[in-house]
Amino acid sequence: MIDAIAQFRDVIFVSVYVLFFLGSLGALALANRSVLRRIWLVGFFSTLLVVTAVGMPLLPVVEMHKFAQPSEEEMTYYEIHVVDADGQEIELDDRATPPLTGTRTSSVGGELAEEYSDAERMEMGEFYLEHVREYRQAVESGDRSVTERLQPPRYVDDPAWTTDQLSEYEAFESIRVYERTVIYAEDDSSVESNEKRLRLTVDVADDEVIEHT
């Protein structure tokens, strides 16, 4: 059944997204009608039930499904680190680059390592460093935006950069992409292997792209 639904994934995504907001506007406009309110609430909670049951993150309820999908026996992730003028590196705090967060950061890292041309890699390196510098300045000044203050709790354990932590680094000048391969036990109860290797360096300061083998 899930495979059959997946064939219409794009249509379902767009339909749910549009109907959610149209339904919300209608419910607000006719809020004095209790029947309409009930219909909207039933539709909303039915959507939550569906995304929980099938594990399909439908817009706009992307982060509302309750259970993680089962892991494959072997998974590959990509991590982006930023590097300062002295060669010290720190893993990217992807709060600096919304909406490129979480799995999206891993996807971009994989494309940087596997697919992008050197020109595209340099462009992405400049993008990351520009946003990282702005975010670093906000962290060090303690100036949190209203948008950031209104963000819901994060679903991953990724502590934010701190002023004390950043004080150990010079200006960031390049990014590195690491490939992490995790092998899980057959019953998903433990990690059997966790290996990390450097795949790519994009040195924006020196206009240089280095692939590591």
Side-chain angles (χ1 to χ4, degrees), residues 148-189:
E148 183 182 353
R149 293 175 188 274
L150 295 176
Q151 289 296 314
R154 295 171 71 86
Y155 290 85
V156 292
D157 183 19
D158 59 342
W161 286 349
T162 65
T163 302
D164 290 342
Q165 188 179 26
L166 292 172
S167 66
E168 301 176 6
Y169 295 88
E170 300 296 328
F172 294 123
E173 295 185 348
S174 60
I175 67 170
R176 290 176 183 157
V177 178
Y178 287 88
E179 180 183 278
R180 184 180 295 278
T181 302
V182 182
I183 299 177
Y184 298 93
E186 291 186 5
D187 60 359
D188 279 346
S189 63

Tab-separated table of all heavy atoms in Angstrom, residues 148-189:
chain	number	residue	atom	x	y	z
A	148	GLU	N	14.417	33.154	15.405
A	148	GLU	CA	15.112	32.099	16.125
A	148	GLU	C	14.451	31.827	17.474
A	148	GLU	O	14.326	30.676	17.906
A	148	GLU	CB	16.576	32.485	16.333
A	148	GLU	CG	17.396	31.395	17.016
A	148	GLU	CD	18.829	31.823	17.259
A	148	GLU	OE1	19.218	32.912	16.775
A	148	GLU	OE2	19.564	31.079	17.932
A	149	ARG	N	14.003	32.868	18.135
A	149	ARG	CA	13.376	32.696	19.451
A	149	ARG	C	12.052	31.936	19.354
A	149	ARG	O	11.625	31.283	20.313
A	149	ARG	CB	13.131	34.066	20.092
A	149	ARG	CG	14.410	34.815	20.451
A	149	ARG	CD	14.089	36.201	20.975
A	149	ARG	NE	15.275	37.016	21.149
A	149	ARG	CZ	16.025	37.015	22.234
A	149	ARG	NH1	15.681	36.247	23.258
A	149	ARG	NH2	17.092	37.783	22.330
A	150	LEU	N	11.395	32.028	18.211
A	150	LEU	CA	10.094	31.393	18.042
A	150	LEU	C	10.186	29.990	17.463
A	150	LEU	O	9.166	29.336	17.260
A	150	LEU	CB	9.201	32.263	17.122
A	150	LEU	CG	8.815	33.637	17.680
A	150	LEU	CD1	8.020	34.412	16.639
A	150	LEU	CD2	8.021	33.495	18.976
A	151	GLN	N	11.405	29.509	17.197
A	151	GLN	CA	11.566	28.176	16.639
A	151	GLN	C	11.163	27.112	17.656
A	151	GLN	O	11.430	27.245	18.849
A	151	GLN	CB	13.024	27.946	16.232
A	151	GLN	CG	13.472	28.738	15.011
A	151	GLN	CD	12.709	28.324	13.762
A	151	GLN	OE1	12.534	27.146	13.477
A	151	GLN	NE2	12.241	29.318	13.020
A	152	PRO	N	10.507	26.019	17.201
A	152	PRO	CA	10.147	24.930	18.128
A	152	PRO	C	11.393	24.171	18.563
A	152	PRO	O	12.471	24.314	17.948
A	152	PRO	CB	9.238	24.042	17.272
A	152	PRO	CG	9.687	24.302	15.865
A	152	PRO	CD	10.072	25.752	15.825
A	153	PRO	N	11.288	23.352	19.611
A	153	PRO	CA	12.449	22.562	20.048
A	153	PRO	C	12.958	21.669	18.919
A	153	PRO	O	12.182	21.135	18.132
A	153	PRO	CB	11.871	21.724	21.205
A	153	PRO	CG	10.677	22.488	21.668
A	153	PRO	CD	10.110	23.147	20.460
A	154	ARG	N	14.277	21.489	18.859
A	154	ARG	CA	14.871	20.672	17.815
A	154	ARG	C	14.754	19.194	18.170
A	154	ARG	O	14.710	18.824	19.338
A	154	ARG	CB	16.342	21.068	17.603
A	154	ARG	CG	16.478	22.490	17.068
A	154	ARG	CD	17.927	22.939	17.078
A	154	ARG	NE	18.747	22.270	16.087
A	154	ARG	CZ	18.880	22.669	14.823
A	154	ARG	NH1	18.201	23.719	14.402
A	154	ARG	NH2	19.659	22.035	13.993
A	155	TYR	N	14.725	18.367	17.130
A	155	TYR	CA	14.538	16.940	17.326
A	155	TYR	C	15.859	16.174	17.339
A	155	TYR	O	15.860	14.950	17.388
A	155	TYR	CB	13.644	16.377	16.217
A	155	TYR	CG	12.210	16.823	16.332
A	155	TYR	CD1	11.783	18.035	15.795
A	155	TYR	CD2	11.280	16.036	16.993
A	155	TYR	CE1	10.463	18.447	15.909
A	155	TYR	CE2	9.953	16.444	17.114
A	155	TYR	CZ	9.558	17.643	16.572
A	155	TYR	OH	8.246	18.049	16.695
A	156	VAL	N	16.949	16.877	17.257
A	156	VAL	CA	18.256	16.224	17.254
A	156	VAL	C	19.129	16.831	18.347
A	156	VAL	O	18.933	17.966	18.766
A	156	VAL	CB	18.956	16.382	15.880
A	156	VAL	CG1	18.231	15.598	14.823
A	156	VAL	CG2	19.061	17.856	15.479
A	157	ASP	N	20.090	16.050	18.792
A	157	ASP	CA	20.998	16.510	19.841
A	157	ASP	C	22.203	17.171	19.189
A	157	ASP	O	23.234	16.551	18.967
A	157	ASP	CB	21.431	15.319	20.702
A	157	ASP	CG	22.326	15.752	21.862
A	157	ASP	OD1	22.303	16.955	22.201
A	157	ASP	OD2	23.038	14.889	22.416
A	158	ASP	N	22.051	18.444	18.843
A	158	ASP	CA	23.135	19.190	18.204
A	158	ASP	C	23.294	20.535	18.916
A	158	ASP	O	22.700	21.525	18.508
A	158	ASP	CB	22.889	19.375	16.705
A	158	ASP	CG	21.593	20.123	16.410
A	158	ASP	OD1	20.728	20.188	17.314
A	158	ASP	OD2	21.463	20.668	15.308
A	159	PRO	N	24.068	20.562	19.975
A	159	PRO	CA	24.233	21.797	20.743
A	159	PRO	C	24.675	22.963	19.865
A	159	PRO	O	25.493	22.802	18.945
A	159	PRO	CB	25.320	21.426	21.761
A	159	PRO	CG	25.258	19.936	21.864
A	159	PRO	CD	24.892	19.450	20.499
A	160	ALA	N	24.132	24.120	20.143
A	160	ALA	CA	24.478	25.314	19.382
A	160	ALA	C	25.882	25.793	19.744
A	160	ALA	O	26.385	25.534	20.838
A	160	ALA	CB	23.460	26.422	19.665
A	161	TRP	N	26.510	26.485	18.807
A	161	TRP	CA	27.793	27.113	19.097
A	161	TRP	C	27.627	28.100	20.248
A	161	TRP	O	26.582	28.733	20.403
A	161	TRP	CB	28.297	27.875	17.877
A	161	TRP	CG	28.813	26.999	16.766
A	161	TRP	CD1	29.071	25.667	16.815
A	161	TRP	CD2	29.143	27.429	15.442
A	161	TRP	NE1	29.535	25.223	15.598
A	161	TRP	CE2	29.599	26.285	14.753
A	161	TRP	CE3	29.104	28.653	14.786
A	161	TRP	CZ2	30.010	26.348	13.407
A	161	TRP	CZ3	29.506	28.715	13.464
A	161	TRP	CH2	29.956	27.576	12.780
A	162	THR	N	28.681	28.243	21.025
A	162	THR	CA	28.669	29.199	22.132
A	162	THR	C	29.791	30.217	21.951
A	162	THR	O	30.751	29.975	21.203
A	162	THR	CB	28.859	28.490	23.482
A	162	THR	OG1	30.171	27.891	23.517
A	162	THR	CG2	27.812	27.400	23.679
A	163	THR	N	29.670	31.323	22.650
A	163	THR	CA	30.698	32.363	22.565
A	163	THR	C	32.051	31.838	23.031
A	163	THR	O	33.082	32.097	22.387
A	163	THR	CB	30.286	33.576	23.424
A	163	THR	OG1	29.021	34.062	22.970
A	163	THR	CG2	31.316	34.684	23.319
A	164	ASP	N	32.081	31.092	24.129
A	164	ASP	CA	33.346	30.545	24.635
A	164	ASP	C	33.972	29.589	23.629
A	164	ASP	O	35.193	29.585	23.425
A	164	ASP	CB	33.114	29.816	25.965
A	164	ASP	CG	32.775	30.775	27.097
A	164	ASP	OD1	33.060	31.981	26.948
A	164	ASP	OD2	32.218	30.313	28.109
A	165	GLN	N	33.147	28.786	23.010
A	165	GLN	CA	33.644	27.823	22.021
A	165	GLN	C	34.239	28.547	20.811
A	165	GLN	O	35.331	28.204	20.346
A	165	GLN	CB	32.476	26.932	21.576
A	165	GLN	CG	32.849	25.771	20.692
A	165	GLN	CD	31.614	24.955	20.337
A	165	GLN	OE1	30.483	25.463	20.326
A	165	GLN	NE2	31.820	23.682	20.054
A	166	LEU	N	33.565	29.557	20.325
A	166	LEU	CA	34.019	30.265	19.132
A	166	LEU	C	35.246	31.126	19.397
A	166	LEU	O	35.990	31.462	18.472
A	166	LEU	CB	32.886	31.134	18.583
A	166	LEU	CG	31.696	30.367	17.993
A	166	LEU	CD1	30.558	31.321	17.663
A	166	LEU	CD2	32.119	29.593	16.747
A	167	SER	N	35.476	31.479	20.654
A	167	SER	CA	36.632	32.322	20.983
A	167	SER	C	37.956	31.623	20.677
A	167	SER	O	38.994	32.278	20.583
A	167	SER	CB	36.581	32.724	22.460
A	167	SER	OG	36.746	31.585	23.296
A	168	GLU	N	37.928	30.306	20.509
A	168	GLU	CA	39.143	29.548	20.226
A	168	GLU	C	39.500	29.540	18.746
A	168	GLU	O	40.548	29.022	18.358
A	168	GLU	CB	38.965	28.098	20.699
A	168	GLU	CG	38.659	27.967	22.185
A	168	GLU	CD	38.388	26.532	22.582
A	168	GLU	OE1	38.544	25.637	21.719
A	168	GLU	OE2	38.017	26.300	23.750
A	169	TYR	N	38.654	30.126	17.916
A	169	TYR	CA	38.849	30.045	16.464
A	169	TYR	C	39.124	31.422	15.863
A	169	TYR	O	38.562	32.430	16.282
A	169	TYR	CB	37.617	29.437	15.794
A	169	TYR	CG	37.368	28.001	16.179
A	169	TYR	CD1	36.610	27.692	17.311
A	169	TYR	CD2	37.896	26.952	15.438
A	169	TYR	CE1	36.387	26.370	17.688
A	169	TYR	CE2	37.688	25.633	15.801
A	169	TYR	CZ	36.937	25.351	16.923
A	169	TYR	OH	36.718	24.045	17.294
A	170	GLU	N	39.997	31.404	14.839
A	170	GLU	CA	40.214	32.598	14.020
A	170	GLU	C	39.081	32.688	12.990
A	170	GLU	O	38.107	31.938	13.054
A	170	GLU	CB	41.577	32.509	13.333
A	170	GLU	CG	42.748	32.398	14.292
A	170	GLU	CD	42.910	33.642	15.161
A	170	GLU	OE1	42.576	34.749	14.673
A	170	GLU	OE2	43.337	33.510	16.316
A	171	ALA	N	39.235	33.585	12.036
A	171	ALA	CA	38.217	33.743	10.998
A	171	ALA	C	38.115	32.457	10.174
A	171	ALA	O	39.123	31.843	9.825
A	171	ALA	CB	38.565	34.916	10.097
A	172	PHE	N	36.885	32.043	9.872
A	172	PHE	CA	36.673	30.839	9.073
A	172	PHE	C	36.951	31.139	7.599
A	172	PHE	O	36.463	32.125	7.053
A	172	PHE	CB	35.244	30.319	9.252
A	172	PHE	CG	34.963	29.815	10.648
A	172	PHE	CD1	33.920	30.339	11.398
A	172	PHE	CD2	35.757	28.830	11.207
A	172	PHE	CE1	33.655	29.876	12.676
A	172	PHE	CE2	35.510	28.360	12.495
A	172	PHE	CZ	34.461	28.892	13.228
A	173	GLU	N	37.711	30.232	6.960
A	173	GLU	CA	38.144	30.483	5.584
A	173	GLU	C	37.838	29.345	4.619
A	173	GLU	O	37.970	29.504	3.417
A	173	GLU	CB	39.656	30.762	5.550
A	173	GLU	CG	40.057	32.032	6.285
A	173	GLU	CD	41.539	32.344	6.125
A	173	GLU	OE1	42.276	31.446	5.647
A	173	GLU	OE2	41.948	33.467	6.470
A	174	SER	N	37.461	28.179	5.117
A	174	SER	CA	37.203	27.052	4.230
A	174	SER	C	36.223	26.089	4.878
A	174	SER	O	35.897	26.208	6.064
A	174	SER	CB	38.513	26.326	3.880
A	174	SER	OG	39.132	25.835	5.057
A	175	ILE	N	35.754	25.131	4.080
A	175	ILE	CA	34.881	24.072	4.601
A	175	ILE	C	35.470	22.719	4.228
A	175	ILE	O	36.200	22.593	3.244
A	175	ILE	CB	33.435	24.184	4.069
A	175	ILE	CG1	33.382	23.917	2.561
A	175	ILE	CG2	32.818	25.521	4.410
A	175	ILE	CD1	31.963	23.781	2.018
A	176	ARG	N	35.150	21.713	5.048
A	176	ARG	CA	35.538	20.338	4.759
A	176	ARG	C	34.296	19.465	4.806
A	176	ARG	O	33.410	19.685	5.640
A	176	ARG	CB	36.565	19.838	5.775
A	176	ARG	CG	37.941	20.491	5.636
A	176	ARG	CD	38.886	20.023	6.722
A	176	ARG	NE	40.193	20.707	6.619
A	176	ARG	CZ	41.048	20.847	7.616
A	176	ARG	NH1	40.757	20.340	8.812
A	176	ARG	NH2	42.191	21.472	7.426
A	177	VAL	N	34.260	18.493	3.936
A	177	VAL	CA	33.145	17.546	3.896
A	177	VAL	C	33.673	16.175	4.283
A	177	VAL	O	34.627	15.662	3.672
A	177	VAL	CB	32.504	17.484	2.495
A	177	VAL	CG1	31.363	16.451	2.476
A	177	VAL	CG2	31.984	18.852	2.072
A	178	TYR	N	33.047	15.582	5.302
A	178	TYR	CA	33.412	14.249	5.760
A	178	TYR	C	32.294	13.265	5.413
A	178	TYR	O	31.108	13.614	5.459
A	178	TYR	CB	33.625	14.235	7.279
A	178	TYR	CG	34.894	14.900	7.724
A	178	TYR	CD1	34.928	16.272	7.982
A	178	TYR	CD2	36.070	14.174	7.898
A	178	TYR	CE1	36.095	16.897	8.402
A	178	TYR	CE2	37.241	14.783	8.322
A	178	TYR	CZ	37.251	16.143	8.574
A	178	TYR	OH	38.410	16.761	8.985
A	179	GLU	N	32.701	12.060	5.069
A	179	GLU	CA	31.747	10.972	4.828
A	179	GLU	C	31.774	10.039	6.033
A	179	GLU	O	32.825	9.526	6.397
A	179	GLU	CB	32.135	10.209	3.566
A	179	GLU	CG	31.216	9.050	3.227
A	179	GLU	CD	31.698	8.295	2.006
A	179	GLU	OE1	31.415	8.758	0.882
A	179	GLU	OE2	32.387	7.263	2.179
A	180	ARG	N	30.614	9.846	6.633
A	180	ARG	CA	30.519	8.956	7.794
A	180	ARG	C	29.674	7.737	7.431
A	180	ARG	O	28.533	7.881	6.996
A	180	ARG	CB	29.899	9.688	8.991
A	180	ARG	CG	29.859	8.828	10.262
A	180	ARG	CD	29.245	9.584	11.423
A	180	ARG	NE	30.047	10.720	11.838
A	180	ARG	CZ	31.105	10.649	12.635
A	180	ARG	NH1	31.508	9.457	13.091
A	180	ARG	NH2	31.767	11.730	12.977
A	181	THR	N	30.242	6.558	7.615
A	181	THR	CA	29.538	5.313	7.321
A	181	THR	C	29.244	4.599	8.638
A	181	THR	O	30.164	4.295	9.402
A	181	THR	CB	30.373	4.400	6.408
A	181	THR	OG1	30.671	5.087	5.187
A	181	THR	CG2	29.606	3.123	6.084
A	182	VAL	N	27.962	4.357	8.883
A	182	VAL	CA	27.519	3.712	10.109
A	182	VAL	C	26.886	2.369	9.748
A	182	VAL	O	25.995	2.302	8.892
A	182	VAL	CB	26.507	4.582	10.877
A	182	VAL	CG1	26.094	3.901	12.177
A	182	VAL	CG2	27.097	5.962	11.161
A	183	ILE	N	27.353	1.300	10.384
A	183	ILE	CA	26.783	-0.030	10.188
A	183	ILE	C	26.053	-0.424	11.463
A	183	ILE	O	26.634	-0.428	12.554
A	183	ILE	CB	27.881	-1.061	9.853
A	183	ILE	CG1	28.592	-0.659	8.548
A	183	ILE	CG2	27.281	-2.472	9.725
A	183	ILE	CD1	29.744	-1.571	8.170
A	184	TYR	N	24.750	-0.738	11.306
A	184	TYR	CA	23.909	-1.090	12.447
A	184	TYR	C	23.775	-2.607	12.575
A	184	TYR	O	23.923	-3.351	11.596
A	184	TYR	CB	22.515	-0.481	12.284
A	184	TYR	CG	22.500	1.032	12.239
A	184	TYR	CD1	22.552	1.712	11.023
A	184	TYR	CD2	22.435	1.784	13.402
A	184	TYR	CE1	22.542	3.100	10.973
A	184	TYR	CE2	22.416	3.171	13.367
A	184	TYR	CZ	22.464	3.827	12.152
A	184	TYR	OH	22.460	5.203	12.104
A	185	ALA	N	23.485	-3.040	13.778
A	185	ALA	CA	23.174	-4.453	13.986
A	185	ALA	C	21.881	-4.796	13.247
A	185	ALA	O	21.066	-3.922	12.941
A	185	ALA	CB	23.027	-4.747	15.477
A	186	GLU	N	21.684	-6.069	12.949
A	186	GLU	CA	20.523	-6.490	12.174
A	186	GLU	C	19.205	-6.106	12.841
A	186	GLU	O	18.217	-5.829	12.164
A	186	GLU	CB	20.565	-8.004	11.939
A	186	GLU	CG	21.679	-8.437	10.990
A	186	GLU	CD	21.607	-9.917	10.675
A	186	GLU	OE1	20.631	-10.569	11.126
A	186	GLU	OE2	22.513	-10.419	9.988
A	187	ASP	N	19.186	-6.090	14.171
A	187	ASP	CA	17.947	-5.748	14.874
A	187	ASP	C	17.854	-4.263	15.227
A	187	ASP	O	16.971	-3.841	15.975
A	187	ASP	CB	17.811	-6.585	16.145
A	187	ASP	CG	18.969	-6.358	17.120
A	187	ASP	OD1	19.881	-5.563	16.802
A	187	ASP	OD2	18.960	-6.990	18.198
A	188	ASP	N	18.762	-3.451	14.683
A	188	ASP	CA	18.775	-1.990	14.914
A	188	ASP	C	18.979	-1.619	16.375
A	188	ASP	O	18.657	-0.499	16.785
A	188	ASP	CB	17.471	-1.343	14.424
A	188	ASP	CG	17.467	-1.101	12.925
A	188	ASP	OD1	18.547	-1.182	12.314
A	188	ASP	OD2	16.390	-0.842	12.375
A	189	SER	N	19.508	-2.525	17.177
A	189	SER	CA	19.654	-2.269	18.609
A	189	SER	C	20.994	-1.648	18.970
A	189	SER	O	21.172	-1.158	20.084
A	189	SER	CB	19.467	-3.568	19.397
A	189	SER	OG	20.485	-4.498	19.058
